[in-house]
Amino acid sequence: MSHGESAPVPGRPGGWSGLGGWNLYFLLKLALFWLGYLNLQPLPNLVFAAVLLFPLGPRSLRILRNLLAIPVAAALLYQDTWFPPFTRLLNQPGVLDFSGLYLLELLERFINWQLCGLLLLIVVAYIYLRQWLRLTTFSLLGLAWLGIQPVLEMAQPVAVAQVRTEAPAPAPSAQANAEPDSSMLDGYLQDFYGRESERVVDFRGASEPVAPFDLVIINICSMAWDDLEAVGLRDNRLLQQMDVVFDHFNSATSYSGPAAIRLLRASCGQGAHDSLYQDAPAQCLLMDQLQSLGYSNEAVLNHNGQFDNFIGDIRAQGQLPLAALDTRGLQRSVIGFDSSPIWRDRDVLGGWWQRRLGREDARVAMFYNTTTLHDGNRTVLPDGGTRRGDYRELANRLIDDLTVFFEQLEHSQRRVVVVVVPEHGASLHGDRMQIAGMREIPSPSITHVPVGIRLFGMGVERGPAPQRVSEPSSYLALSAFIARLHDANADATLPVLLADLPVTPWVAENAGTVVLDYDGIPYVRLKENGIWLPYPARFK
């Protein structure tokens, strides 16, 4: 007889056998919670344990209960992870377009071999200890202790609870001593959107510039400060060439289509994700504003733009015609995560610039999007084969290509303003809520992107290092800078152009998921009207 649980009591149907083998399930979850891998919810687990403990008579009923409990246990385990709801993945039709090699690569990332080794040790310890200890007692005590914690928190002094119920302040720092609850953060979010809806950059009063200039917006997929830090490229030569660098720029989303829409709507304050797919006022559309000032607008891509209807997004939101581009002579340097071709950035940009020099337009505004760094891309080898793309190698190649483009612009001696603004990061590290490369949740490490501005032939004196914008910023600041530059007189200086640019508190949102910064702490809400949780710190 096993010493791990009580023996059945004669005369009592089914007797009392404890949790039996289900102890391993609960003890593993408690261990994972203690290690920080789970956000274990006590009440559902206690209810599940109670159902498993309820005495049943016939052995067939106990077997049936165990069979029915298996899918419930799996669903409960996923619910206890930091991962977003599984339905969110099913709602991403683009997943079906991933190449087989990329799907295999993503599967490999889900396997944490160190954690697997640790869990194996726990299983071995369980097999040995169940002979000597009543493990059901440990399982239930562990779950009960977790369940008591909310009650203990509610028993805190009344003064703290009163502070939590106050209306959200315009700036979270005003409540520095209060830990916000979900209703407080909901109120802060609505207050943020309310203030942002009133902000707009008006180009209508802009006068004719002293001399016309071209505007080139380079929208880079998958480049965040966190990614550059991970591969030792934080202080790369591309950023060193900039005249202005935004140190705390928030892309406000972690997906390409929404990021492009937000950039094309840069002249208005930051709206909720749902508003991106509704008609926007004409005054919000940056490229439309520029067109009203005499710019010829166009879009250029180094990819086919078909994935997730990216072309449709920029056409619908920016009315941007795609520039005529003959891809037959372009070098296919990378194969995309969806098996589509990605052309070398220097070839695409260089070809566009030569075409621009042959045009008589006084001023052109060009939106360029590159997916060279996208997760899952494969590098094309000299023999025509491919290998898994290395982020550092591809980032260096992109930096080299943009440097060559900058040299072409400088050599032309034309007046050109280049704005480099990434869509989002690559999530090279991953964290407790999502594996490396996954961007379903717009965490700060993904949306904190390096934004730079370079002025060619504009008569602005360059310093030994870029001017830094240290305030929290987003797209509205870029629109304001462009408007000021258009309306500036000949002797305008960078400090004047950068003074008092719009500051935007940190809020990022995807469909159904919001992350915001409150008093220096990121909080995440995984579904509308759901609860807010502090975003879990990354494992070191």
Side-chain angles (χ1 to χ4, degrees):
M1 181 184 71
S2 169
H3 297 277
E5 305 293 350
S6 298
V9 178
R12 185 178 299 171
W16 175 264
S17 58
L19 288 170
W22 286 104
N23 275 308
L24 180 59
Y25 172 81
F26 289 107
L27 292 173
L28 285 174
K29 291 180 77 170
L30 288 169
L32 290 171
F33 172 77
W34 181 69
L35 292 170
Y37 286 96
L38 288 185
N39 180 36
L40 196 149
Q41 302 169 78
L43 182 58
N45 282 275
L46 282 169
V47 171
F48 184 49
V51 172
L52 294 172
L53 285 170
F54 190 82
L56 295 176
R59 182 171 179 270
S60 59
L61 287 180
R62 298 198 299 273
I63 294 175
L64 178 61
R65 177 175 61 184
N66 283 334
L67 291 176
L68 294 176
I70 292 174
V72 175
L76 185 57
L77 174 61
Y78 190 88
Q79 183 178 332
D80 283 337
T81 68
W82 291 106
F83 296 142
F86 189 71
T87 53
R88 197 74 47 77
L89 178 62
L90 300 179
N91 290 334
Q92 298 294 331
V95 173
L96 302 177
D97 296 325
F98 290 170
S99 68
L101 289 173
Y102 186 37
L103 289 173
L104 180 61
E105 183 179 338
L106 292 176
L107 180 62
E108 292 174 0
R109 296 179 194 173
F110 272 103
I111 303 175
N112 183 330
W113 293 110
Q114 289 185 335
L115 181 59
C116 289
L118 177 61
L119 295 180
L120 178 60
L121 292 177
I122 295 176
V123 170
V124 172
Y126 164 80
I127 293 173
Y128 177 76
L129 293 175
R130 70 175 181 170
Q131 305 296 324
W132 311 102
L133 300 175
R134 297 180 182 274
L135 295 179
T136 296
T137 303
F138 290 94
S139 299
L140 295 179
L141 284 177
L143 294 174
W145 172 250
L146 294 180
I148 292 174
Q149 297 305 305
V151 178
L152 296 178
E153 291 179 2
M154 291 176 62
Q156 295 298 317
V158 176
V160 174
Q162 290 176 340
V163 172
R164 290 182 180 178
T165 59
E166 293 178 7
S173 59
Q175 299 288 345
N177 295 321
E179 179 185 348
D181 58 18
S182 289
S183 62
M184 193 176 197
L185 292 174
D186 284 337
Y188 173 75
L189 180 64
Q190 293 307 312
D191 186 55
F192 167 81
Y193 286 138
R195 296 193 312 272
E196 289 296 299
S197 66
E198 300 174 354
R199 301 211 293 174
V200 61
V201 175
D202 193 352
F203 282 72
R204 290 176 296 179
S207 61
E208 186 71 15
V210 176
F213 60 86
D214 290 341
L215 174 66
V216 176
I217 299 175
I218 299 178
N219 200 208
I220 301 175
C221 177
S222 303
M223 178 186 281
W225 285 111
D226 189 70
D227 304 318
L228 296 177
E229 183 78 36
V231 296
L233 293 175
R234 185 178 180 88
D235 298 317
N236 63 77
R237 58 192 178 281
L238 177 65
L239 292 178
Q240 292 171 358
Q241 297 177 61
M242 296 296 176
D243 294 301
V244 180
V245 171
F246 290 77
D247 288 326
H248 295 95
F249 190 97
N250 175 24
S251 69
T253 182
S254 57
Y255 276 109
S256 299
I261 295 173
R262 291 190 181 278
L263 177 54
L264 293 171
R265 295 185 177 187
S267 295
C268 282
Q270 182 176 324
H273 176 83
D274 290 344
S275 70
L276 299 181
Y277 298 93
Q278 302 170 4
D279 292 338
Q283 62 186 8
C284 295
L285 304 178
L286 174 61
M287 302 300 277
D288 280 17
Q289 297 269 42
L290 293 172
Q291 190 172 40
S292 69
L293 297 176
Y295 281 83
S296 298
N297 296 342
E298 59 185 351
V300 179
L301 315 176
N302 79 330
H303 54 100
N304 62 25
Q306 299 300 318
F307 183 79
D308 205 22
N309 193 32
F310 184 83
I311 286 181
D313 284 343
I314 62 176
R315 281 177 173 164
Q317 304 303 324
Q319 308 267 326
L320 293 179
L322 287 179
L325 182 64
D326 185 3
T327 60
R328 290 175 297 179
L330 297 182
Q331 178 183 353
R332 188 189 64 167
S333 62
V334 175
I335 297 296
F337 58 95
D338 58 350
S339 301
S340 64
I342 297 175
W343 300 288
R344 187 77 186 253
D345 291 284
R346 69 183 181 193
D347 295 336
V348 179
L349 287 170
W352 173 83
W353 183 241
Q354 292 305 313
R355 179 173 169 269
R356 165 65 185 112
L357 293 177
R359 295 169 56 177
E360 296 181 357
D361 303 79
R363 55 183 72 89
V364 172
M366 190 269 279
F367 172 89
Y368 177 71
N369 183 267
T370 171
T371 58
T372 296
L373 301 181
H374 196 290
D375 188 57
N377 287 351
R378 299 184 67 82
T379 302
V380 178
L381 302 174
D383 62 1
T386 65
R387 61 172 168 80
R388 183 178 297 184
D390 177 75
Y391 186 88
R392 189 177 195 280
E393 175 188 324
L394 293 175
N396 269 319
R397 181 185 298 179
L398 175 61
I399 291 169
D400 288 342
D401 288 356
L402 293 182
T403 299
V404 170
F405 179 58
F406 281 13
E407 292 171 352
Q408 292 174 329
L409 298 180
E410 193 162 27
H411 180 72
S412 72
Q413 299 185 341
R414 293 181 63 93
R415 290 166 57 85
V416 184
V417 175
V418 178
V419 179
V420 176
V421 49
E423 304 172 38
H424 51 71
S427 188
L428 292 182
H429 284 299
D431 55 36
R432 301 187 197 188
M433 298 197 78
Q434 44 195 0
I435 62 172
M438 189 177 181
R439 294 176 280 102
E440 181 60 31
I441 301 173
S443 66
S445 63
I446 299 175
T447 62
H448 181 200
V449 297
V451 170
I453 299 175
R454 176 69 186 274
L455 309 176
F456 295 92
M458 299 294 290
V460 177
E461 184 177 353
R462 300 199 67 209
Q467 295 274 341
R468 316 293 292 207
V469 178
S470 58
E471 296 292 336
S473 309
S474 198
Y475 303 102
L476 194 69
L478 294 180
S479 179
F481 181 84
I482 293 169
R484 292 179 185 182
L485 200 60
H486 185 276
D487 204 31
N489 54 39
D491 57 354
T493 63
L494 270 181
V496 171
L497 294 170
L498 295 173
D500 299 321
L501 285 176
V503 173
T504 303
W506 203 281
V507 174
E509 184 176 4
N510 289 340
T513 304
V514 186
V515 178
L516 60 78
D517 181 284
Y518 190 94
D519 193 27
I521 299 175
Y523 291 87
V524 59
R525 189 183 70 187
L526 294 179
K527 60 181 179 179
E528 189 175 355
N529 301 323
I531 62 171
W532 291 86
L533 297 170
Y535 200 95
R538 177 187 295 161
F539 290 113
K540 299 298 183 182

